[in-house]
Amino acid sequence: MEYKTILFDGAMGTMLQRSGASIPAIPELLNLTEPKLLQDIHRQYEQAGSQVVYANTFGANRLKLEDRLEEVIKAGIENARLGAGTCKIALDIGPLGQLMEPMGTFTFEEAYEQFSQIVKAGKDADLIVIETMSDLLETKAAVLAAKENSNLPVYVTMSFEENGRTFTGCTLESMAMTLEGLGVDALGFNCSVGPDGMIDLVKRLSQCTNLPIIAKPNAGLPDPATSQYDMKPEEFAKYMKQLHEAGASMIGGCCGTDPRFIESIAFLKTQSVIRTQNAPSSKICTSLLALDLHKIHPIGERINPTGKKRFQQVLLEEDLDYIVSIAIEQKEAGAQILDVNVGFPGIDEVEMMKKVVKKLQSVVDLPLLLDSSNIQALEAGARVYNGKPALNSINGEQEKMDAIFPIVAKYGAAVVALTLDEKGIPKNKEARLEIVDKIVKEAKKYLIDPSNLWFDPLTMTLSAQPEQATETLETIQELKAKGYQTVLGVSNISFGLPDRQAVTKVFLAQALFAGLTLPILNVNIEAYMDVIVSAQLIGNQDPNAKNYISRFADRVTLKTNQNVSQTISLSNAIYKGLDQEAKEIARQKLENMAPLDIVEQELIPSLDKVGKAYEQGSLFLPQLLSSAQSAQAVFEVIKDHLARTNQKSVNKGTIVMATVQGDIHDIGKNIVKTVLENYGYEVIDLGKDTPAQLIFDTVKEKNVRLVGLSALMTTTLKSMEETIRLLHTLPDPPKIMVGGAVLTEQYAKEMAADYYSKDAQDGVRIAKEVFGNE
């Protein structure tokens, strides 16, 4: 495929810093106070060759600007138009600066409302660019706000780190799958790395999408002491040529770049990008995990109230931790996708679906198959789902397709398609395949590719219709031959028969041999998973027999019935993010164990285990914070017990934390605060944009021994230095740890900080050292 090269602009913040103008904490206010300055910057980029320039609206949102939002955004677009009249003008939308649920408290619905206001205010732009995003769910909220409140083209770039994931753990493949499904017009990367560090990312992305790819890297790495980046325009151009050859057809610059950098790559405008077109394939994802479904992927069926009195009561009581525990058990048993059905009389299924999806995704990284006959519940779940979901289900009934295909198309979902219609379930494979053709034809009207259709040929019970098993297996074979994805509820085959497992596991083996890739079953029944693991080995889906050997060489007895109870330790409850279980276990332990012993012998080691897994890359930020919340729940139980028994509360040390003056970004600080509190430290949080004097006065008044300072912008590092200098004037100054995206260990030393904290776990290590808690 051939893509025309389009040249974007470079950094706005870099140009503002070099202008000598007084930059307010909210730089977008310059749209009103310094319009000529903004117009001149846009003009310089136009003269350098830019064809698209970003309005100075990156940080403009109602949270910061309140009732001035529309005024500031309109002025920003007007300034860009006046300065670069021949260019397309982009409404530039950045992150909201809030920690999204489940990691924080800012809801998807709140984020959507904020982004909607921005989009409406920016209606005079030529296109919308959503950039520098790290949270896929926040990105989804922004995209939906753009698509539902505007007809403008929507481009999205996210910021990836060296490990190939964003700050919140989002994978590149998940980004591509989700955003392409939502209908964005182009996607790619900006910020975080220089052009040399972005080449492999672009190569990987070109294998995941056929959309135009955007690349706006930084000018290398920053020197915090001077706020200058280490790459010159000539070197930048050399790597940008490689980025262009790797597949990026929309190119520009981010932090540290200026018109000279854009001019250095303007020669690429005359050169098209040639990329190999990717064939459609069946995929599904969460932000943390992307699955390509060409292999066998078992679907766990147990999150379903049908015939389960305990589960029905759980739904009525909204005991979401129980549902999470079922999800975790299924994952540990080998499920790779989880079916989620929460429909039961007496509950609001629409609200329950949203709550359960959010709760599950805060703990489990597996993709979900949202299962409901309530169309509103399906859409509600698909809307808040973080990634690309699957929906269950449609069939050949026109009314069903008319209702559900628009949801599938809007959210880029996969969908289970039952081979039945208004006449019922056909008796033979030929009639079922006719329904398949009808569904495929109807899906194309909504631009839904057949790879997103999971066909279910339906399992009839042998006790009532013994001839139907062969029809089902032959239908699977035909669907496999046509290249379609197949899904099947396996266990219905043995309904009404004795020793159901004996029949079910044989039918499962036959279905897998026929080409079934998505069996829905109770994965906690060992015999069924034995068949699946063996089939994966025989089908060359288990390199070096790794999974097979792991399962059988040193066999551990698994649960064979979902009603068998399993004791869970406090450590596991915290590790898995099970708040209610953790609290209950803590209450039980308090009957014969001292509160401080629980903290020292159980809670802290559990958090250390979580922290180690996070540092090793086996857990990611959402899971880290979920575990932290469970630990916090245990701490509350212990604190309540201490208060009732008049014992001294747990406090390993008091720490003052603040984002320095001039900086309004506090997500990183808040994460560190949460984790420190769960280790038993009292944190006095002074918030963001904090004057040095307030920090000084608080430390002096409370006799605080450790201070944590955060800064995201290079422009506010001077404030950090001033704060450190002021604290050092105290007779007995506290230890100071600093952190933030623009800091390095070397610069922390240069500004006389005692410690550089690269992340939350590093902050815990520092606190232990300062307070002697090792």
Side-chain angles (χ1 to χ4, degrees):
M1 294 177 65
E2 185 173 358
Y3 298 81
K4 180 182 178 181
T5 299
I6 299 176
L7 193 61
F8 288 12
D9 60 6
M12 172 60 71
T14 299
M15 295 293 285
L16 291 175
Q17 291 172 30
R18 294 175 185 174
S19 70
S22 177
I23 303 174
I26 304 175
E28 290 74 22
L29 289 172
L30 292 170
N31 294 338
L32 304 175
T33 60
E34 297 283 351
K36 297 296 184 184
L37 170 62
L38 272 301
Q39 292 167 25
D40 181 62
I41 292 172
H42 293 309
R43 186 175 298 111
Q44 290 184 53
Y45 279 122
E46 178 189 42
Q47 292 171 349
S50 294
Q51 297 161 296
V52 175
V53 298
Y54 291 15
N56 182 39
T57 55
F58 174 81
N61 59 61
R62 187 79 69 188
L63 297 170
K64 298 176 184 176
L65 296 169
E66 298 178 345
D67 58 359
R68 303 193 73 182
L69 177 68
E70 290 83 359
E71 179 187 17
V72 168
I73 288 180
K74 288 181 178 178
I77 293 171
E78 182 180 0
N79 289 333
R81 189 84 66 193
L82 291 173
T86 66
C87 297
K88 296 286 187 181
I89 307 303
L91 169 65
D92 187 11
I93 301 177
L96 295 172
Q98 302 292 314
L99 196 57
M100 291 279 292
E101 60 180 354
M103 296 176 287
T105 59
F106 204 70
T107 69
F108 176 87
E109 292 79 10
E110 289 171 328
Y112 173 83
E113 181 57 30
Q114 290 291 328
F115 287 124
S116 295
Q117 293 168 359
I118 298 168
V119 170
K120 291 173 184 176
K123 60 183 177 60
D124 294 330
D126 299 312
L127 66 146
I128 296 170
V129 172
I130 300 163
E131 66 162 335
T132 324
M133 306 298 280
S134 63
D135 188 322
L136 187 60
L137 188 61
E138 181 180 15
T139 309
K140 180 176 181 176
V143 172
L144 287 173
K147 301 287 285 186
E148 293 175 356
N149 294 281
S150 169
N151 293 318
L152 297 176
V154 180
Y155 298 172
V156 180
T157 54
M158 297 186 72
S159 296
F160 279 74
E161 300 181 356
E162 292 181 359
N163 63 2
R165 292 180 181 261
T166 68
F167 171 65
T168 61
C170 176
T171 74
L172 184 153
E173 291 77 14
S174 296
M175 173 193 76
M177 204 183 305
T178 303
L179 298 183
E180 186 167 343
L182 291 171
V184 304
D185 298 281
L187 73 166
F189 313 100
N190 79 293
C191 209
S192 289
V193 297
D196 49 337
M198 202 173 277
I199 294 170
D200 286 341
L201 294 176
V202 168
K203 287 180 179 178
R204 279 177 58 190
L205 184 57
S206 69
Q207 297 173 355
C208 301
T209 181
N210 292 325
L211 290 175
I213 294 176
I214 306 167
K216 288 193 76 179
N218 294 338
L221 299 174
D223 179 353
T226 63
S227 299
Q228 300 297 312
Y229 284 73
D230 63 2
M231 193 171 284
K232 302 300 181 185
E234 297 77 17
E235 186 181 7
F236 183 81
K238 180 184 72 172
Y239 286 116
M240 288 301 292
K241 187 175 187 300
Q242 295 179 39
L243 262 179
H244 188 255
E245 293 169 348
S249 55
M250 296 180 168
I251 54 175
C254 201
C255 300
T257 63
D258 58 34
R260 296 173 303 149
F261 288 77
I262 302 306
E263 187 175 13
S264 74
I265 61 174
F267 72 95
L268 293 171
K269 286 195 293 184
T270 61
Q271 303 176 22
S272 296
V273 170
I274 306 297
R275 285 165 44 198
T276 301
Q277 186 169 7
N278 298 298
S281 63
S282 187
K283 297 177 181 178
I284 189 175
C285 73
T286 62
S287 68
L288 300 176
L289 177 67
L291 296 181
D292 192 328
L293 303 178
H294 65 284
K295 298 181 179 180
I296 299 169
H297 289 83
I299 300 175
E301 68 179 10
R302 291 179 52 207
I303 302 178
N304 190 318
T306 304
K308 303 170 186 171
K309 291 184 178 180
R310 174 73 179 99
F311 200 101
Q312 293 164 5
Q313 191 62 32
V314 161
L315 291 176
L316 293 170
E317 297 172 355
E318 293 196 14
D319 183 1
L320 301 186
D321 274 358
Y322 177 84
I323 298 175
V324 168
S325 69
I326 297 298
I328 292 172
E329 287 177 6
Q330 292 185 99
K331 177 181 177 179
E332 292 177 345
Q336 294 176 313
I337 300 170
L338 301 177
D339 185 83
V340 178
N341 186 314
V342 294
F344 187 69
I347 69 165
D348 183 340
E349 188 178 355
V350 174
E351 287 302 312
M352 182 59 72
M353 180 66 84
K354 290 197 294 186
K355 290 177 181 179
V356 170
V357 167
K358 291 178 180 181
K359 183 65 175 179
L360 287 173
Q361 292 204 296
S362 73
V363 178
V364 182
D365 62 355
L366 297 183
L368 306 180
L369 172 59
L370 309 182
D371 185 356
S372 178
S373 59
N374 184 322
I375 294 168
Q376 289 73 32
L378 278 181
E379 174 154 24
R383 189 171 184 84
V384 301
Y385 182 90
N386 193 1
K388 175 183 176 178
L391 308 181
N392 192 2
S393 58
I394 61 159
N395 57 48
E397 298 176 37
Q398 192 62 47
E399 183 180 356
K400 270 278 193 180
M401 292 189 288
D402 290 345
I404 295 178
F405 270 149
I407 300 172
V408 174
K410 179 175 182 177
Y411 297 103
V415 64
V416 172
L418 308 179
T419 54
L420 60 84
D421 60 12
E422 293 87 350
K423 300 175 184 178
I425 301 173
K427 298 295 184 182
N428 56 63
K429 69 176 180 181
E430 289 78 15
R432 294 181 194 183
L433 292 171
E434 286 179 8
I435 294 174
V436 168
D437 292 339
K438 177 183 177 182
I439 293 172
V440 171
K441 182 178 179 181
E442 191 68 20
K444 288 181 178 178
K445 295 178 183 178
Y446 296 89
L447 303 181
I448 297 170
D449 190 85
S451 63
N452 283 321
L453 303 175
W454 300 359
F455 287 103
D456 185 344
L458 302 169
T459 306
M460 303 293 101
T461 60
L462 283 171
S463 58
Q465 297 172 285
E467 77 286 352
Q468 284 299 304
T470 301
E471 294 294 334
T472 297
L473 293 172
E474 290 180 355
T475 305
I476 292 173
Q477 285 181 316
E478 291 287 341
L479 290 169
K480 177 71 172 178
K482 292 176 179 288
Y484 293 137
Q485 195 67 240
T486 53
V487 60
L488 193 68
V490 177
S491 60
N492 194 46
I493 193 71
S494 59
F495 184 79
L497 295 174
D499 195 6
R500 292 187 61 185
Q501 290 185 26
V503 174
T504 301
K505 67 182 180 182
V506 173
F507 178 68
L508 171 62
Q510 289 180 314
L512 294 172
F513 180 74
L516 176 66
T517 50
L518 297 169
I520 302 176
L521 71 172
N522 185 345
V523 295
N524 292 97
I525 294 178
E526 190 175 75
Y528 299 166
M529 290 306 298
D530 286 349
V531 171
I532 287 175
V533 172
S534 299
Q536 289 170 330
L537 176 63
I538 294 168
N540 196 28
Q541 298 177 18
D542 184 11
N544 301 314
K546 180 180 178 181
N547 293 334
Y548 183 87
I549 292 170
S550 174
R551 184 173 183 85
F552 293 105
D554 185 20
R555 185 145 206 166
V556 177
T557 302
L558 304 174
K559 293 197 308 175
T560 59
N561 189 295
Q562 66 187 50
N563 295 318
V564 178
S565 62
Q566 184 181 46
T567 302
I568 185 171
S569 68
L570 181 58
S571 176
N572 281 338
I574 292 172
Y575 189 89
K576 296 173 181 178
L578 300 175
D579 300 359
Q580 295 302 320
E581 281 87 344
K583 288 196 293 186
E584 184 57 35
I585 295 168
R587 292 190 185 101
Q588 294 172 7
K589 285 185 175 293
L590 282 169
E591 295 176 3
N592 51 31
M593 193 172 181
L596 292 180
D597 287 344
I598 294 176
V599 172
E600 294 295 337
Q601 298 174 24
E602 298 272 355
L603 195 57
I604 300 304
S606 299
L607 287 169
D608 287 342
K609 177 183 175 184
V610 171
K612 185 176 181 180
Y614 175 71
E615 290 178 338
Q616 291 175 341
S618 56
L619 285 184
F620 301 98
L621 187 59
Q623 296 149 320
L624 172 70
L625 292 180
S626 178
S627 296
Q629 289 166 2
S630 295
Q632 185 64 37
V634 173
F635 253 118
E636 292 305 318
V637 170
I638 292 172
K639 287 178 182 177
D640 288 346
H641 177 84
L642 292 172
R644 288 196 309 270
T645 56
N646 296 316
Q647 298 181 59
K648 186 177 179 182
S649 183
V650 178
N651 182 1
K652 293 195 162 190
T654 301
I655 304 168
V656 164
M657 296 197 68
T659 301
V660 298
Q661 189 164 25
D663 203 318
I664 55 176
H665 303 86
D666 64 352
I667 290 179
K669 170 184 67 66
N670 292 342
I671 292 171
V672 177
K673 170 193 170 185
T674 298
V675 176
L676 283 169
E677 287 177 335
N678 290 320
Y679 271 85
Y681 298 98
E682 178 188 0
V683 178
I684 301 173
D685 185 1
L686 298 181
K688 54 193 175 185
D689 192 17
T690 311
Q693 191 62 48
L694 175 59
I695 299 171
F696 176 90
D697 293 342
T698 305
V699 170
K700 183 178 180 181
E701 177 188 350
K702 304 288 186 181
N703 190 29
V704 172
R705 304 314 309 143
L706 178 61
V707 175
L709 301 177
S710 173
L712 182 70
M713 304 185 298
T714 56
T715 53
T716 56
L717 290 176
K718 294 297 181 185
S719 295
M720 182 175 279
E721 290 184 44
E722 292 168 6
T723 303
I724 293 171
R725 278 198 295 269
L726 185 59
L727 288 171
H728 282 163
T729 64
L730 286 166
D732 185 16
K735 296 294 183 181
I736 301 169
M737 63 176 174
V738 296
V742 295
L743 280 161
T744 63
E745 186 169 5
Q746 177 60 35
Y747 191 58
K749 292 178 181 178
E750 291 178 7
M751 64 169 61
D754 298 285
Y755 300 98
Y756 166 67
S757 175
K758 68 178 185 294
D759 55 30
Q761 283 306 125
D762 216 23
V764 170
R765 178 190 61 77
I766 292 165
K768 287 180 177 181
E769 181 177 323
V770 171
F771 293 105
N773 305 133
E774 294 287 358

